[in-house]
């Protein structure tokens, strides 16, 4: 331990013997043995990591500016036409602000792009943007013509009003070209439905329209299921699904504000107030409510997956033929989450039964934290400050993320296909300009996205760590003053603790949050590599391989949990002693190892109840997000989301983070009191001098006092 630390904050007892400075050991204390407040000589620690954190934020701003300059969130939802315009983009040529549905004009090109070993891709097939998917005529032949240009003297609005049809204005040469499926007008032979803003062809040709086409001398049109599958495969590619998921975050921003910001703030404050005034019943309420919320969220996933009721997720935007059944990856993802939630529900129920007998211990421990909150009342409202900082950060971060994910460059495809089309500007058929456009993502964009994600995690951990350190310093002031809120401890201890953090310990907090972030990202990278190897190797995994993979995954999870636990206790010792992160971690680890069995007995169940409380808040946010997303607004038109999965998960994550900020008041209060008690007992021959009376009563009542001080 390197010698006693002494009462770093608070009043040193005159009867302890010796002068105060001598008792502080390596702390370099001031003050004297007159019973006054000891002023510990602190200094700035781990400054290098504070500079690294500041430099990292400069890089984050530069990285985000790249996304804002290059990105366009519309690309995440809508497709490209044959000119490279994003459907729905008002800056396109022509103005496409009302035209957001992509439609492939030439069905034979769609068919050709789906033929095996074909050199022609769907991205090269001629597509334009419409307001809605066209349908075949019931008694004739409908046409969809290219954007009006050249000799076609129509405005875009007139073209829309005519249902995209100006076939009657075509010259004989243009009509002949159209009958060869070279445009500028194309027949509507196959019905189509709007699936995620792309017209999904139904390989069921209209007999009436096809008959009229043949009577007019049109070329043969391929009728095959390939037409259906080709578009479906493109719409449901992993990259397309990921883009839609990210776009859902942008569309559901009101849900995120309510369920990820306002609601968890409200629930967390209520929980803290109930802990303060109704601590005896809160443990039981938390356990029961947690199980009810897990069951409710699970049932919602079953409903959206189509396993319960008739409210399954629909991939079609707008009305559709009830006999047409189209599914997507989103349904499979919801079903996978539903199965996972079922497993979690069973584990949660069994775990709740297992801890019923231990709940009374948690209640007694929470009483101590409730006493601290009641005395240092500013602790209840303090988390609002880091909450506001996080809210501002997340608004900036999500906006930058949407732009980064859409910051690919629109480039013309390098194709070798031989396809001809009528060009209205030159008034002739051109056969050397058939390659379409695609969004090209370079490796540096992927690195920018990963950097942005890592920055979010590190910034979140940093703000939570700062909040925890301030709370620990405030509670330490309470403990080392014998629980007396008077002039014997700093005035307004929360603000005094915040001042110490900003002046001395930001570098240490930056280092601690960086360690957690690095370990978490090592887990993420190793998991990604493991998945990549599993998909690249078709051979079934051996039993030893499965055991090795599971064991390594479990070990990494244990390491991550251990580091987070050590960090939390390190923040406490940073607040108490003013030491750097490494030294504070060493002191905290020594205290924990010397009292591992006794601390665990008192504190583990309390931590479990607090963890369940945070899950209750976040699960309630997820449940409310489901209810908000289940309204007409998010089921139709431009606000329709592809799946509730991502908005619900993000609402759950944000709710958990907000709850962590507020629940840290109780969590850090308990840990700080116990670590301070252990340090106090070690420095005074097993008899704690500064423990508040309620803490002594609580530990005596549980038979823990003797074990904590004597180690037996």
């Amino acid at each position: 331990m390197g010698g006693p630390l002494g009462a770093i904050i608070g009043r040193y007892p005159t009867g302890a013997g010796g002068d105060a400075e001598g008792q502080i050991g390596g702390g370099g204390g001031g003050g004297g043995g007159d019973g006054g407040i000891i002023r510990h000589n602190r200094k700035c620690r781990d400054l290098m990591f504070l500079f690294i954190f500041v430099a990292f934020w400069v890089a984050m701003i530069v990285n985000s500016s790249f996304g804002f300059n290059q990105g366009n969130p519309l690309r995440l939802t809508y497709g490209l036409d044959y000119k490279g315009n994003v459907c729905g983009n008002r800056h396109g040529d022509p103005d496409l602000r009302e035209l957001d549905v992509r439609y492939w004009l030439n069905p034979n090109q769609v068919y050709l792009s789906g033929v095996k070993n074909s050199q022609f891709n769907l991205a090269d097939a001629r597509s334009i943007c419409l307001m809605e998917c066209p349908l075949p005529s019931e008694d004739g032949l409908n046409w969809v013509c290219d954007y009006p240009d050249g000799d076609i003297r129509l405005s875009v609005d007139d073209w829309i009003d005519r249902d995209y049809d100006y076939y009657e204005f075509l010259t004989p040469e243009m009509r002949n070209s159209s009958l060869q499926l070279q445009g500028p007008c194309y027949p509507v032979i196959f019905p189509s439905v709007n699936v995620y803003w792309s017209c999904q062809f139904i390989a069921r040709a209209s007999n009436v329209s096809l008959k009229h086409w043949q009577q007019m001398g049109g070329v043969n049109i391929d009728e095959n299921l390939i037409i259906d599958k080709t578009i479906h495969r493109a719409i449901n590619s992993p990259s397309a699904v990921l883009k839609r998921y990210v776009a859902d975050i942008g569309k559901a921003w009101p849900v995120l504000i309510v369920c990820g910001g306002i609601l968890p703030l409200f629930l967390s404050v209520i929980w803290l107030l109930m802990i303060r005034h109704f601590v005896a019943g809160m443990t039981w309420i938390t356990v029961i409510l947690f199980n009810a919320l897990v069951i409710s969220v699970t049932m919602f996933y079953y409903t959206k997956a189509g396993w319960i009721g008739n409210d399954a997720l629909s991939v079609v935007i707008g009305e559709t033929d009830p006999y047409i059944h189209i599914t997507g990856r989103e349904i499979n993802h919801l079903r996978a989450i539903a199965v996972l939630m079922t497993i979690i529900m069973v584990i949660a129920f069994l775990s709740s039964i297992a801890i019923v007998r231990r709940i009374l211990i948690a209640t007694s421990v929470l009483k101590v934290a409730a006493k601290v909150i009641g005395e240092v009342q500013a602790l209840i409202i303090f988390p609002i400050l880091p909450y506001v900082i996080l809210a501002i950060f997340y608004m900036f971060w999500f906006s930058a993320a949407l732009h980064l994910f859409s910051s690919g460059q629109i480039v013309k495809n390098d194709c070798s296909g031989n396809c001809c089309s009528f060009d209205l500007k030159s008034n002739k058929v051109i056969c050397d300009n058939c390659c379409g456009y695609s969004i090209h993502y370079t490796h540096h964009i992927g690195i920018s996205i990963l950097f942005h994600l890592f920055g979010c995690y590190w910034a979140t951990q940093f703000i939570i760590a700062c909040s925890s350190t301030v709370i620990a310093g405030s509670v330490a002031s309470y403990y080392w003053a014998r629980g007396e809120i008077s002039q014997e401890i700093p005035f307004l201890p929360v603000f005094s603790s915040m001042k110490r953090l900003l002046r001395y310990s930001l570098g240490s907090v930056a280092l601690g949050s960086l360690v957690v972030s690095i370990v978490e990202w090592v887990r993420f990278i190793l998991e990604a590599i493991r998945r990549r190897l599993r998909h690249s190797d078709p051979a079934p995994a051996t039993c030893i391989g499965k055991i090795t993979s599971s064991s390594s995954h479990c070990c990494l999870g244990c390491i991550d949990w251990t580091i987070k636990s050590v960090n939390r206790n390190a923040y406490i010792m940073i607040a108490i002693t003013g030491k750097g992160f490494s030294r504070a971690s060493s002191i905290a680890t020594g205290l924990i190892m010397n009292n591992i069995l006794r601390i665990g007995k008192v504190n583990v169940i309390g931590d479990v109840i607090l963890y369940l409380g945070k899950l209750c808040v976040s699960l309630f946010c997820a449940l409310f997000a489901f209810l908000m997303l289940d309204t007409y607004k998010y089921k139709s038109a431009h606000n329709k989301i592809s799946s509730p999965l991502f908005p619900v998960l993000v609402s759950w994550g944000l709710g958990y983070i907000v709850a962590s900020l507020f629940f840290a008041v109780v969590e850090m209060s308990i840990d700080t009191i116990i670590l301070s008690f252990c340090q106090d007992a070690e420095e005074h021959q097993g008899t704690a001098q500064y423990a508040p009376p309620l803490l002594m009563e609580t530990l005596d009542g549980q038979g823990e006092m003797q074990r904590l001080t004597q180690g037996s």
Side-chain angles (χ1 to χ4, degrees):
M1 296 294 297
L5 296 170
I8 304 304
I9 307 172
R11 181 166 63 85
Y12 197 88
T14 56
D19 64 79
E21 189 168 345
Q23 290 295 331
I24 292 176
D34 59 355
I37 297 176
I38 297 176
R39 301 293 182 185
H40 183 57
N41 293 330
R42 296 175 179 245
K43 64 179 182 180
C44 295
R45 307 282 185 177
D46 301 315
L47 279 177
M48 182 181 69
F49 291 95
L50 180 59
F51 294 145
I52 291 175
F53 185 74
V54 172
F56 179 85
W57 259 100
V58 172
M60 276 281 289
I61 294 173
V62 173
N63 187 57
S64 299
S65 65
F66 165 78
F68 285 117
N69 289 330
Q70 302 294 327
N72 181 0
L74 288 177
R75 299 173 187 170
L76 299 174
T77 301
Y78 307 114
L80 303 177
D81 67 7
Y82 73 92
K83 293 184 175 182
N85 297 317
V86 179
C87 293
N89 188 0
R90 66 178 61 192
H91 302 296
D93 178 25
D95 184 350
L96 303 176
R97 72 183 68 191
E98 296 180 352
L99 307 172
D100 41 31
V101 183
R102 178 175 52 176
Y103 175 74
W104 285 273
L105 293 166
N106 190 336
N108 279 1
Q109 287 184 347
V110 176
Y111 172 81
L112 181 62
S113 63
V115 175
K116 190 176 181 180
N117 299 325
S118 173
Q119 300 296 319
F120 193 80
N121 297 318
L122 185 62
D124 300 320
R126 197 170 187 84
S127 61
I128 61 173
C129 302
L130 307 178
M131 290 186 65
E132 57 187 14
C133 295
L135 295 174
S137 172
E138 296 181 356
D139 56 0
L141 180 62
N142 288 340
W143 297 86
V144 172
C145 301
D146 201 348
Y147 303 127
D149 204 348
D151 293 337
I152 305 299
R153 307 297 182 181
L154 285 177
S155 66
V156 173
D157 290 337
D158 291 337
W159 173 65
I160 295 173
D161 292 339
R162 296 180 58 87
D163 291 330
Y164 328 108
D165 180 6
Y166 51 75
Y167 182 79
E168 61 182 278
F169 300 144
L170 298 185
T171 64
E173 180 185 2
M174 291 180 182
R175 293 192 179 192
N176 181 64
S177 173
S178 298
L179 292 174
Q180 300 301 314
L181 287 181
Q182 294 177 352
C185 293
Y186 297 82
V188 181
I189 302 297
F190 297 95
S192 59
V193 292
N194 185 349
V195 177
Y196 298 134
W197 308 105
S198 292
C199 291
Q200 167 73 64
F201 282 8
I202 308 300
R204 188 180 62 197
S206 167
N207 292 330
V208 174
S209 298
L210 191 59
K211 182 178 179 180
H212 275 78
W213 171 256
Q214 292 170 345
Q215 290 176 348
M216 295 176 67
V219 298
N220 181 57
I221 291 180
D222 296 303
E223 299 180 66
N224 196 293
L225 195 60
I226 292 178
I227 294 177
D228 186 318
K229 291 183 176 180
T230 300
I231 298 178
H232 186 268
R233 188 163 53 243
I235 295 174
N236 284 280
S237 66
S239 61
V241 173
L242 178 60
K243 288 180 182 179
R244 288 198 293 271
Y245 281 160
V246 176
D248 289 342
I249 302 301
K251 294 178 182 179
W253 64 265
V255 177
L256 301 186
I257 291 177
V258 173
C259 300
I262 299 174
L263 187 60
L265 170 66
F266 179 73
L267 295 175
S268 298
V269 171
I270 288 180
W271 198 91
L272 284 181
L273 292 175
M274 293 187 70
I275 278 289
R276 170 69 184 92
H277 300 286
F278 192 51
V279 64
M282 277 307 296
T283 50
W284 298 100
I285 293 174
T286 300
V287 172
I288 295 172
L289 187 61
F290 169 69
N291 284 276
L293 289 171
V294 169
I295 294 173
S296 300
V297 173
T298 303
M299 293 302 103
F300 259 102
Y301 274 115
Y302 270 80
T303 300
K304 290 301 178 182
W307 288 342
I308 294 180
N310 298 313
D311 195 26
L313 178 69
S314 172
V315 302
V316 178
I317 297 175
E319 298 181 358
T320 181
D321 188 337
Y323 297 101
I324 298 175
H325 180 66
I326 304 174
T327 59
R329 290 178 183 265
E330 289 82 359
I331 293 290
N332 297 330
H333 294 167
L334 285 174
R335 290 173 178 173
I337 295 296
V339 172
L340 178 62
M341 286 299 301
T342 303
I343 297 173
I344 293 175
M345 180 178 65
V346 174
I347 295 175
F349 182 74
L350 296 178
S351 300
S352 300
I353 295 176
I355 67 171
V356 165
R357 297 180 59 186
R358 301 279 185 173
I359 287 181
L360 293 178
I361 298 177
T363 302
S364 62
V365 174
L366 291 175
K367 285 181 180 179
V368 178
K371 173 66 175 176
V372 177
I373 297 172
E375 298 291 349
V376 190
Q377 297 182 6
L379 284 175
I380 294 181
I381 62 173
F382 162 72
I384 293 178
L385 177 60
Y387 166 83
V388 171
I389 295 173
L390 265 182
I392 296 173
F393 165 71
Y394 279 135
M395 285 190 288
F396 161 79
W397 187 89
F398 276 116
S399 178
L402 288 173
H403 284 83
L404 277 173
F405 268 91
S406 60
S407 59
Q409 185 178 5
I410 297 178
V411 296
K412 194 173 183 63
N413 297 333
D414 183 15
C415 68
S416 58
N418 181 22
C419 53
C420 300
S421 59
F422 195 95
D423 183 69
L424 288 172
K425 286 186 177 181
S426 59
N427 201 27
K428 63 179 180 179
V429 176
I430 299 177
C431 297
D432 58 355
N433 191 29
C434 67
C435 295
Y437 288 82
S438 299
I439 301 176
H440 180 61
Y441 293 93
T442 58
H443 292 295
H444 77 271
I445 295 177
I447 295 174
S448 296
I449 292 173
L450 291 177
F451 183 82
H452 195 67
L453 293 173
F454 179 80
C456 176
Y457 193 83
W458 189 8
T460 301
Q461 291 297 321
F462 178 81
I463 295 173
I464 292 176
C466 287
S467 177
S468 299
T469 305
V470 172
I471 294 170
S474 307
V475 176
S477 299
Y478 170 86
Y479 180 90
W480 293 108
R482 298 178 182 274
E484 300 173 3
I485 301 300
S486 68
Q487 294 181 353
E488 296 171 354
I489 65 171
F491 176 72
L492 294 177
V494 172
F495 292 98
S496 299
S497 180
M498 191 186 311
K499 179 181 176 181
R500 289 192 297 271
L501 168 71
L502 296 175
R503 186 173 180 181
Y504 301 112
S505 303
L506 280 179
S508 301
V509 172
L511 173 56
S513 57
L514 177 61
V515 170
V516 174
S517 302
I518 290 176
V519 172
E520 194 71 25
W521 273 81
V522 167
R523 287 184 61 199
F524 172 78
I525 292 172
L526 292 178
E527 179 66 14
I529 294 174
R530 185 183 69 84
R531 290 178 179 273
R532 180 69 60 86
L533 292 175
R534 186 177 65 181
H535 286 298
S536 62
D537 185 8
T542 62
C543 182
I544 297 178
K546 291 181 180 179
I547 294 175
T548 303
S549 176
S550 300
S551 300
S552 61
H553 188 70
C554 181
C555 289
L556 286 172
C558 291
I559 292 173
D560 180 53
W561 178 85
T562 303
I563 289 178
K564 286 182 178 179
S565 178
V566 171
N567 270 23
R568 191 173 68 184
N569 292 295
Y571 299 145
I572 295 173
M573 300 313 295
I574 288 172
I576 294 176
T577 68
K579 300 292 184 182
F581 177 79
S582 300
R583 177 62 177 149
S585 298
S586 175
I587 296 171
T589 303
L591 283 174
I592 293 172
M593 294 306 295
N594 290 341
N595 302 273
I596 185 68
L597 296 178
R598 284 94 56 172
I599 290 178
K601 185 76 173 180
V602 176
N603 200 25
V604 168
I605 299 300
D607 283 346
V608 170
I609 295 299
L610 290 172
Y611 180 67
L612 292 181
K614 288 185 279 189
L615 288 179
C616 282
V617 172
S618 57
L619 285 171
F620 194 90
C621 293
L623 183 63
F624 203 78
F626 262 124
L627 295 174
M628 288 188 67
L629 293 170
D630 204 32
T631 58
Y632 177 79
K633 176 180 179 181
Y634 298 104
K635 288 184 175 182
S636 61
H638 296 83
N639 286 323
K640 178 180 173 64
I641 59 171
S642 64
S643 170
L645 182 59
F646 256 42
V648 167
L649 289 179
V650 172
S651 297
W652 176 87
L654 292 176
Y656 186 86
I657 291 171
V658 173
S660 296
L661 287 174
F662 286 86
F663 279 56
V665 172
V666 179
E667 202 168 24
M668 295 302 291
S669 296
I670 294 173
D671 290 347
T672 303
I673 288 287
I674 291 179
L675 275 182
S676 299
F677 182 90
C678 295
Q679 179 65 43
D680 193 7
E682 284 199 9
E683 293 187 13
H684 298 97
Q685 294 76 45
T687 302
Q689 296 285 331
Y690 291 87
L694 180 59
L695 178 64
M696 304 288 285
E697 294 173 7
T698 300
L699 294 177
D700 281 338
Q702 294 299 328
E704 293 296 333
M705 175 68 175
Q706 183 178 3
R707 286 191 285 273
L708 276 168
T709 56
Q710 298 181 2
S712 61

